[in-house]
Amino acid sequence: MESPRQKKIAALLQQEIAQLLQGAIRKEGVSNLLVSVTKVNVTVDLSIAKVYLSLFPPKRLQRG
C-alpha cells in the first residue's frame, strides 16, 4: 500500500513528466500523436519511479 508521501510524489512526477513529453513532442513538430502518462508508481524509499504511458495512435511508433 502506498503511503501518502508516495502518492504525492507520484502525482507530481506524473504532471511533470506529462508536461515534459508534450513539450518535446511540440518542439519536434510531431502532430497527430497523443501521449498520456497514465500512472506512476514510486518505491517506498522514493529512489525508483515506474512510469506508464499511453500512446495514440499506436501504429505511429512502428518503424518499417
Side-chain angles (χ1 to χ4, degrees):
M1 186 163 165
E2 285 184 321
S3 71
R5 186 175 185 197
Q6 284 174 282
K7 289 179 184 178
K8 189 173 187 177
I9 297 294
L12 289 171
L13 284 172
Q14 185 173 4
Q15 291 174 355
E16 289 295 320
I17 293 168
Q19 289 176 358
L20 287 170
L21 288 173
Q22 289 176 359
I25 289 170
R26 284 189 198 123
K27 184 179 177 183
E28 293 296 320
V30 176
S31 61
N32 299 326
L33 178 63
L34 178 65
V35 178
S36 298
V37 180
T38 56
K39 186 174 182 178
V40 176
N41 288 337
V42 180
T43 58
V44 177
D45 63 357
L46 307 177
S47 65
I48 298 173
K50 188 180 282 191
V51 179
Y52 296 88
L53 301 176
S54 176
L55 305 168
F56 185 81
K59 291 185 178 184
R60 179 97 159 90
L61 297 175
Q62 293 177 351
R63 295 181 185 197

